[in-house]
């Protein structure tokens, strides 16, 4: 995924299906400078973590 699309998904009130490492995630924030997204798994945890936006896939 590219940075612009990650930002669009984050700002969209309708949750999009985004996958990281085989699990669905919710994008909490996107950092323009580092090109990383702050995400959390939708089902398993409230814990957030950072990943490169290029590692995210939209389903």
């Amino acid at each position: 995924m590219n940075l612009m699309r990650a930002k669009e998904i984050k700002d969209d009130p309708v949750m999009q299906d985004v996958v990281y490492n085989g699990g669905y995630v919710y994008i909490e924030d996107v950092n323009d400078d580092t090109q990383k997204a702050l995400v959390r798994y939708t089902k398993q945890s409230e814990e957030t973590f950072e990943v490169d936006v290029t590692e995210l896939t939209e389903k």
Side-chain angles (χ1 to χ4, degrees):
M1 178 176 299
N2 66 42
L3 185 68
M4 186 64 119
R5 183 61 184 141
K7 289 171 75 174
E8 289 172 355
I9 290 171
K10 179 192 77 78
D11 293 337
D12 192 334
V14 177
M15 187 169 162
Q16 304 295 318
D17 290 334
V18 177
V19 176
Y20 170 73
N21 208 22
Y24 286 95
V25 294
Y26 177 76
I27 300 174
E28 297 277 345
D29 197 18
V30 178
N31 186 316
D32 289 329
D33 297 329
T34 63
Q35 300 212 0
K36 291 188 182 277
L38 185 66
V39 301
R40 66 176 167 83
Y41 285 109
T42 56
K43 301 230 185 265
Q44 299 159 348
S45 173
E46 291 297 315
E47 184 178 332
T48 59
F49 54 98
E50 266 192 344
V51 299
D52 289 331
V53 293
T54 57
E55 296 179 47
L56 299 173
T57 306
E58 186 175 7
K59 291 289 182 176

